[in-house]
Every structure is written in C-alpha cells, then in structure tokens.
Amino acid sequence: MSHSPFVSVVVPTFRERENLPLVVSRLDGLLRDFAWEVVFVDDDSDDGSAQVLLELSRTHPRVRVIRRIGRRGLASACLEGMASSAAEIFAVMDADLQHDETILPGMIAAFQEDPHLDLAVGTRYSGEGGFSNWSKWRQFVSKFATGIEKAVLRTPLTDPMSGFFVIRRGLFEETVRHMTGKGFKILLDIVLSAGRKLRTREFPYEFRARQHGESKLDVVVGLEYLYLLVDKTLGWLVPVSFVFYVLAGLSGLLLHLVILGLLHRGAHVEFFYAQIFATLVAMVSNFLVNNAVTFRSRRLKGFPLAVGLSAYVAICALGAIVNVQSAEYLYVNAIPWWFAGVTGAAIGAVWNYAVSTQIVWTWLPAILRKKKKP
Ligand code: GDD
Ligand code: MN
C-alpha cells in the first residue's frame, strides 16, 4: 500500500493566522474520497502563523508545513510546495478562503476521469463565476490584463490570472525549470512556459470576500506581472533587468530633454551648463527609478541607499564627462541641440548600465551585508 497522497493541496501563506485552521477543517470535510494532504508554505509570517501551523501538523496527519526564512513570493512558495510533494496532482489554493473550496472535489475527480488532463482551473469569469465585491477599477484592470494574455497564450483560458487551479505532476516537471517563479501569476507562468497546447478544463466559481487578514496584492505585484510578460517575450534575447533599465533610462531621457529645452531654449542658459544640469537631474532620477523598479529585489534602503547613490553618481560622473563632451562636440559642429543631447546621453547610458549593475546593486549590497553580520 502506498502512503503517498494522490493530491497535495499547496497553500501559500503570509500572515493568515486566523484562516489556517479553517482551511484544514474545510478540506477535511470535502476531500474524504481522496488520498490527500495539505502543504502550507509560509514565508516566516510575523503574526504567529508558525505556531498555528506546527500545532495543526502535530494534530493532523494530513497537514505538512514548509517554513521559508528570509524569502518572499507567492509563486516560488507554490513551486516549492509542489516540489516537496510526491503526489500525482497538485492543487493550488489561497489560504484566505476567497477561493471556493467546494469546487475542489470536482476538479480533482476530473483528473481521475481524464488521464490526459493537464490543468483544471477555477475561473471567475465563465458560467456563474463572479467577483462578489471587486471595485469597478479592479475589474477593469483584471479584464484588460486578461485581454492581453489571451492574445499571447497558446492555450486559451478565460481566467489566466486565477490563483486557484489543479495541475498534473507531468506538467509541473515539464515547466518548472522554464518558469520565472516571480510574482503572483503562477498559472500564467505555467501556461506561458509550457511549449505546447495544454488540455484544460475550467470550473466556474464565485470569488469570495476576505474574512480575516489583508490582501498582499499591491503595485509591486503589477510590476512583477509586467516583469513576467517581458521575460516571456524578450527574455530569450536580453536580461529583463536590461529592458527595465532602458525604460527607466528613457524616462530619465525625457526629463533630461525637458530640462535641457527649458534651460537652453527657454531661459537661454548656455548649452554646456544646461546639459550638465539636465544630466545631473536625470542621473538622480534614474538611480531612484532603477532602485525601486529594475533592482527592486535587491533594493537599497537607508544608509546603503545613500552609499549607493554616491557610488552611482561617481560612476555616472565618468559617463557624464563622455556624455557632455560628445554632446558638446556634436553641438558645436552644427548638429541640432536635441540630437546632440540624445547621443551624449545614449553613450553615457551604456557605461552606466554595465558598471552600476555590477558595483551599485551587486557588489555594494554584498559588502554592506557582510559588514553588518560579524
Ligand atoms: N508564502 C507566501 N509568500 N504566500 C503569500 C505571499 C508571499 O509572499 N503573498 C501572498 N501570499 C498568500 C496569501 O497569504 C494568500 O493565501 C494568497 O497568497 C493570495 O494572496 P492575497 O494577498 O490574498 O491575494 P489576492 O486575494 O489579492 O489575489 C488573488 O487574486 C489574484 C488574481 O487577481 C489571488 O487569488 C491570487 O492568487 C490571484 O493571482
Ligand atoms: Mn486573497
């Protein structure tokens, strides 16, 4: 007799203390027909979740716990939960009871009925599925994003953003090494990473309101979503951080040109000085944007932020000399002011990307961390 479960319900948790016992008792009531287990993957929540989880796993043979220390991330938590399991299929479900667990038995049974089924997705769109209490704005954003995805996806899904689904082990093994593993959109990541059309079934449900705790979906999640799409479309060609660096640079360039235009054309400041000033402002702006967006996973804060800015400015100073000199050279040779400005900035940008990635966001955080811990 095998002791390994047929299905592992993987539940990512972050600050869900009150919800944890509820999840176990609901699953317990629903999954009696299956050999099941639940794997909670908690990212060291500071609300006492660990004690609750350990107590649950002591009293409940079907409860397992993975505690990740010093790590964060919904998608990677789910992947590690699956990787820890010997089951044939994995269900992924939120801990906050917003996903309607009563459709789970049907989703699991679908895999027993159809040996070729890859994915069963709980969907909030088709049939009687709905949103209960989403704001108009959030519904719009969700529908808009879903529209883009449908255009990109080989496997059509009505709700590719769903965090509620069941996946066969084979598909997990096929895709896990190609996945971004970042952000919230794990289902989208799986579908984008599978190099084939998948066999799927959808199960409509009503997205419930949260009872306890609060949502962790914020601006950062939107960025991670963008990151995932860039990675899956351009990732084979260039690192995603480069794409973001260029985008940040373009915003800096726009700022640069506005300031240059205002000072030089508007206030009649000499081109040479206007270019220096515009470069300085763009430099600080680029640093802050890159720190918040491009390198947000190693974001500098407090003292390291100040050191990082100084290092960044020093690195850029060299790039700026080249920038200003080449722009000035072009300008005095009758090249239009805006083209001279763009060219100078572009030459500086290549230097800035290469050197600052290495020094400001790789080497510097590493030595500052080492200094803190003796
Ligand atoms: N381990 C871990 N680490 N778990 C996390 C983390 C994290 O960094 N962030 C969130 N979670 C857990 C939460 O505890 C919860 O169980 C689940 O992931 C979903 O997080 P919520 O904060 O409740 O997300 P939501 O309700 O706003 O988002 C829902 O809709 C999205 C689509 O719009 C979820 O269903 C998502 O899965 C879904 O992608
Ligand atoms: Mn939620």
Side-chain angles (χ1 to χ4, degrees), residues 16 18-20 22-24 26 93-101 206-212:
E16 304 282 3
E18 288 102 330
N19 293 318
L20 303 168
L22 297 172
V23 172
V24 174
R26 295 209 188 171
M93 194 177 87
D94 290 352
D96 56 9
L97 307 167
Q98 292 193 275
H99 294 155
D100 182 356
E101 68 287 337
E206 180 86 25
F207 195 66
R208 294 190 198 126
R210 223 178 213 282
Q211 305 290 323
H212 305 280

Side-chain angles (χ1 to χ4, degrees), residues 11-16 41-43 68 71-74 77 93-96 98-99 124 134 138 142 159 161-164 184-186 205 207 210 214-217:
V11 183
T13 63
F14 190 70
R15 299 193 185 128
E16 304 282 3
V41 188
D42 187 70
D43 285 352
R68 305 198 305 171
R71 312 262 310 274
R72 270 301 301 275
L74 173 50
M93 194 177 87
D94 290 352
D96 56 9
Q98 292 193 275
H99 294 155
R124 296 161 291 182
W134 275 24
R138 186 162 175 187
S142 179
D159 189 6
M161 313 273 268
S162 175
F164 187 22
F184 266 51
K185 308 305 168 196
I186 180 169
Y205 76 98
F207 195 66
R210 223 178 213 282
E214 50 192 56
S215 169
K216 285 94 204 171
L217 214 148

